[in-house]
Amino acid sequence: MTVTHPQGFSAAGLTVGLKPSGKPDLALVVNDGPADAVAAVYTSNRCKANPVLWSEQASADGRARAVVLNSGGANCYTGEFGFQTTHLTAERAAALLGVSPVDVLVCSTGLIGVGGQDFRDRIVEGLPGLVEAAGAEDAHGRSAAEAIMTTDTVAKTVALQREGYRVGGMAKGAGMLAPGLATMLVVLTTDAAVDQEVLDRALRAATSVSFDRLDTDGCMSTNDTVILMSSGASGTSPSEAELTEAITQACLDLTGQLHVDAEGAHHDIAITTRGAATVADAVTVSRAVGRSNLFKAAIFGEDPNWGRVVAQVGVTDAEFEPTAIDVAINGVQVCTGSTPDADPEQVVFSRRVDVVIDLHAGEESATVWTSDLTHDYVEENSAYST
């Protein structure tokens, strides 16, 4: 189950020829419910794709009825023509759906620089069939999730049932995953009846502890977008805390799916810093370790070199005592009080690697997810798609 799990939503995905592979490449999610609240977060990359520039404006009023998404081309750095393509996509979809163009958001993913006349024609000419194909069944949501895949190996979806309301979602992303308000393309849906302000706060709280902490390759995209739409179709109005918990759970689920599908990764690494004075300190330390190439090289070689962890903690401005750091790798306490503890050879490696750092400086904690991309992989895939 996916974006069509909540009441009031329909979706579709089909092939219009944007991908040389002939796989599905155009998707649609429509909110047919009594409410049209939307919240969204976008990449903080200063180099933004045309769909991001359009959607930032369109979602500013907190309302949206549909999202059109394509794979097979990022429509980024394609000039004024590219922005007009995004605008035209919203206009044509709006006319077919009987809504205003500013109530249609647009997302694109693929290679930067792709978005010429053929790209435009295939999208615009494919919209009537896309709208006609939309439905509320699980299969329709699944088709939409498959149509936004690029280098993803599997479609990524989520569905949650809460007391009286539901949450659904889909995501794409396997490369260019690094924090910056949001990473990758994500559409979340809920039939909860909530004010737009509540929806916005819930989404921002959820992304701050999920997508913002996924940093597999240190590369931030130009197209990153996370959208949350509410149909209000359930008639249930959960508290802000309840809604935030549900949206956070959905985001964490999708974050996990994105993490394990990271391109070129041999290990999925979760770095948890606890005992920090502040959450910001915990994130800073976890992220510093996760971005260390020496640390990643050790993990790739299945070498539990805790010295590289401690050394990286030391380059941060977090509050801690350098002689009181603990490190555990896959449950083995290899360092206590900044001195050797258990024999590192006791560490058993698998695809998942859990690193726990205790600063003994407070009570806060935070986890950052990363991956150990090999040098050969990076060399062979230097031109990332978004």
Side-chain angles (χ1 to χ4, degrees):
M1 294 182 284
T2 179
V3 289
T4 56
H5 183 54
Q7 299 178 66
F9 290 95
S10 57
L14 50 78
T15 300
V16 297
L18 299 175
K19 292 178 180 176
S21 65
K23 293 182 178 180
D25 46 26
L26 192 61
L28 174 70
V29 180
V30 181
N31 178 356
D32 299 309
D36 60 357
V38 70
V41 288
Y42 302 96
T43 182
S44 59
N45 194 327
R46 292 170 59 194
C47 300
K48 299 180 180 181
N50 290 307
V52 171
L53 297 173
W54 166 266
S55 296
E56 283 180 324
Q57 298 176 35
S59 64
D61 64 356
R63 299 176 56 195
R65 279 294 178 185
V67 184
V68 177
L69 311 94
N70 75 269
S71 54
N75 193 9
C76 177
Y77 283 108
T78 50
E80 182 62 26
F81 181 88
F83 186 80
Q84 292 171 357
T85 296
T86 298
H87 193 169
L88 180 60
T89 299
E91 285 183 334
R92 294 292 174 85
L96 292 165
L97 294 168
V99 301
S100 169
V102 295
D103 288 334
V104 179
L105 309 185
V106 180
C107 300
S108 297
T109 181
L111 289 175
I112 291 172
V114 174
Q117 186 66 54
D118 185 59
F119 175 89
R120 173 190 285 185
D121 291 345
R122 289 179 184 275
I123 290 177
V124 173
E125 292 170 7
L127 287 172
L130 186 69
V131 172
E132 184 178 355
E137 290 75 22
D138 291 342
H140 292 89
R142 182 77 180 182
S143 294
E146 292 172 349
I148 61 174
M149 295 168 58
T150 50
T151 54
D152 305 69
T153 62
V154 294
K156 302 167 178 71
T157 66
V158 66
L160 302 177
Q161 178 71 57
R162 291 296 188 263
E163 189 66 35
Y165 70 100
R166 297 175 175 179
V167 174
M170 66 180 188
K172 69 78 51 186
M176 295 194 78
L177 299 180
L181 288 184
T183 48
M184 81 295 300
L185 299 186
V186 179
V187 178
L188 297 161
T189 56
T190 181
D191 52 18
V194 294
D195 293 337
Q196 193 280 333
E197 294 81 3
V198 172
L199 200 70
D200 185 72
R201 289 195 294 268
L203 179 63
R204 293 180 185 278
T207 57
S208 71
V209 298
S210 57
F211 302 132
D212 275 359
R213 297 183 183 176
L214 179 63
D215 192 356
T216 64
D217 54 19
C219 298
M220 184 191 301
S221 173
T222 55
N223 292 55
D224 299 333
T225 303
V226 176
I227 296 168
L228 170 60
M229 296 192 290
S230 172
S231 69
S234 71
T236 299
S237 299
S239 68
E240 183 169 340
E242 291 172 334
L243 180 67
T244 300
E245 183 280 328
I247 300 302
T248 299
Q249 186 58 47
C251 289
L252 286 169
D253 189 305
L254 291 172
T255 297
Q257 294 181 56
L258 292 161
H259 186 208
V260 300
D261 200 27
E263 292 179 90
H266 283 246
H267 294 91
D268 308 317
I269 311 165
I271 304 167
T272 301
T273 298
R274 64 189 186 194
T278 65
V279 172
D281 276 1
V283 172
T284 295
V285 169
S286 292
R287 187 162 289 157
V289 174
R291 286 182 170 177
S292 167
N293 287 332
L294 288 177
F295 165 75
K296 290 185 176 183
I299 296 301
F300 176 73
E302 300 195 348
D303 172 15
N305 191 333
W306 58 266
R308 292 182 179 178
V309 175
V310 173
Q312 203 63 22
V313 174
V315 305
T316 73
D317 59 2
E319 180 181 333
F320 67 93
E321 170 53 53
T323 60
I325 303 170
D326 298 347
V327 179
I329 300 177
N330 281 357
V332 178
Q333 195 71 37
V334 290
C335 169
T336 299
S338 302
T339 60
D341 196 328
D343 186 345
E345 291 188 4
Q346 296 181 28
V347 176
V348 177
F349 281 89
S350 60
R351 172 75 190 216
R352 169 71 178 240
V353 177
D354 287 289
V355 177
V356 178
I357 306 162
D358 198 328
L359 300 181
H360 296 289
E363 299 181 352
E364 302 296 341
S365 66
T367 300
V368 167
W369 298 272
T370 189
S371 298
D372 59 335
L373 306 185
T374 68
H375 176 75
D376 288 344
Y377 172 81
V378 173
E379 287 293 308
E380 293 170 6
N381 296 273
S382 58
Y384 281 103
S385 61
T386 63

